[in-house]
Amino acid sequence: MEDGYYIGRRWEDLDTDILVKIFQSFDILELTSGIAHVCSAWRMACCDPLLWKTLDLSMMKSNFIKIPLEPYVYVDGRSDKILTRLLKISMSLSRGNITTLIFHFNLFVSDEQLTYTAERCPQLRRLVLPAWNRIKKTGICKAIRAWKDLESLTMPGIANPPYLMEEISKNCKNFRELKIMGPCDKFFASTLATYLPTLKVLSLRCSMLYKEALIIVLDSLPHLEVLNISHCLLIEVLPPPGPKKVRTKIDEGLMRWYRYEEGLWKADEM
């Protein structure tokens, strides 16, 4: 100290490890807000693999309205632009190091946004998908083909599961964990038995589960180690003219999986 002046270290002279430690406390919106442009040292820290193991977009929701025709939602153009910009910055900074990708259920991703991300996340192992509304068969199949190392998938219910399960079976040889929040009927269970017989973890939490589907799962997935059916609505279809029987010990007989969505949608069952 001379003449009352203190000459300290500049921010850009901080050790990279310290900068990375600081940046680890930032969420994705803060991390992509422009701090990488402060100086070369900060950009180097922003690209550290420790910051990009997980890209968590669960705090982002699309600004949308429901419409009566496909895709049954209209997403505001500004909302789309914000997501596209965030994805581009994240892909640039992450340099292919993302292994976990989490979307909010109501973040209505388009085919273009999904495939753009897939091509730049070749090491992805865990994926939490949003609602299907704007994702078409061609888009999700192209994305799955890029994710050779995919091990875990969380997704909403799907009307035609064979094409997706077949794509996973062909391309993701280490796939072992599936979590679905949607109806599980005989068709879906049979599809799992056909294409994913080596599945180790299956979560049907907060779903409508048919008894005959449950029997197929238990009989046809010999490698299954974890089966989560908590908060499920168990339905038994009796031979005609018998009615359906609904059995549940939770939620007063009503299926309300949306109650659990915020805390459990992106939760890792393991």
Side-chain angles (χ1 to χ4, degrees):
M1 181 173 299
E2 295 180 5
D3 301 325
Y5 291 98
Y6 172 70
I7 308 234
R9 295 178 66 185
R10 297 177 300 175
W11 274 100
E12 58 265 36
D13 292 333
L14 279 177
D15 292 338
T16 301
D17 290 346
I18 296 176
L19 284 172
V20 171
K21 191 69 175 176
I22 294 171
F23 293 162
Q24 280 181 309
S25 65
F26 292 6
D27 63 31
I28 187 61
L29 297 177
E30 294 166 334
L31 200 56
T32 57
S33 63
I35 59 175
H37 299 299
V38 171
C39 62
S40 59
W42 281 37
R43 181 168 183 83
M44 183 182 298
C46 283
C47 294
D48 193 284
L50 287 175
L51 300 176
W52 296 105
K53 291 300 180 185
T54 298
L55 178 55
D56 188 349
L57 303 177
S58 60
M59 78 291 291
M60 291 189 66
K61 299 181 185 180
S62 296
N63 183 19
F64 70 96
I65 58 173
K66 294 182 180 180
I67 57 176
L69 301 175
E70 287 190 10
Y72 304 112
V73 292
Y74 170 79
V75 178
D76 175 64
R78 184 172 177 272
S79 179
D80 248 355
K81 287 180 180 178
I82 291 172
L83 176 58
T84 298
R85 175 183 174 276
L86 187 146
L87 288 173
K88 286 184 176 180
I89 296 173
S90 298
M91 295 305 105
S92 174
L93 295 176
S94 63
R95 298 179 178 178
N97 287 303
I98 294 170
T99 58
T100 297
L101 176 59
I102 300 172
F103 292 104
H104 190 280
F105 183 82
N106 286 326
L107 183 59
F108 294 100
V109 179
S110 68
D111 277 345
E112 293 75 17
Q113 291 165 334
L114 184 66
T115 55
Y116 175 88
T117 304
E119 290 166 355
R120 290 157 181 80
C121 297
Q123 300 184 53
L124 196 72
R125 291 194 177 120
R126 180 168 179 253
L127 172 65
V128 179
L129 279 172
W132 290 110
N133 296 63
R134 300 174 70 202
I135 302 175
K136 298 182 177 64
K137 177 180 177 179
T138 52
I140 186 59
C141 287
K142 184 177 180 180
I144 292 296
R145 286 193 287 270
W147 288 321
K148 303 292 186 184
D149 296 328
L150 190 67
E151 299 175 0
S152 172
L153 173 64
T154 297
M155 69 177 198
I158 183 170
N160 184 26
Y163 77 83
L164 177 57
M165 300 307 161
E166 183 178 9
E167 205 68 51
I168 293 173
S169 176
K170 286 180 179 178
N171 295 281
C172 311
K173 300 306 179 184
N174 296 322
F175 192 82
R176 60 184 178 80
E177 179 178 346
L178 178 65
K179 178 178 178 181
I180 181 168
M181 284 186 176
C184 180
D185 56 13
K186 183 178 179 180
F187 180 42
F188 185 82
S190 299
T191 301
L192 293 183
T194 301
Y195 295 108
L196 300 175
T198 59
L199 203 63
K200 292 185 176 180
V201 179
L202 177 61
S203 174
L204 304 170
R205 189 203 311 245
C206 309
S207 298
M208 184 184 297
L209 175 61
Y210 287 81
K211 182 181 177 181
E212 57 184 353
L214 179 58
I215 292 172
I216 292 172
V217 166
L218 294 174
D219 287 346
S220 305
L221 299 178
H223 300 279
L224 205 61
E225 298 172 1
V226 177
L227 175 61
N228 188 347
I229 57 173
S230 61
H231 305 292
C232 272
L233 197 65
L234 183 59
I235 297 176
E236 181 179 6
V237 181
L238 300 176
K244 289 183 179 180
K245 285 186 178 180
V246 179
R247 298 175 181 174
T248 179
K249 293 183 179 179
I250 302 171
D251 292 346
E252 303 85 39
L254 300 175
M255 182 179 64
R256 300 192 184 112
W257 74 260
Y258 56 83
R259 270 189 173 182
Y260 311 96
E261 180 250 322
E262 292 295 339
L264 302 181
W265 175 247
K266 67 175 184 175
D268 190 335
E269 297 301 311
M270 293 299 286

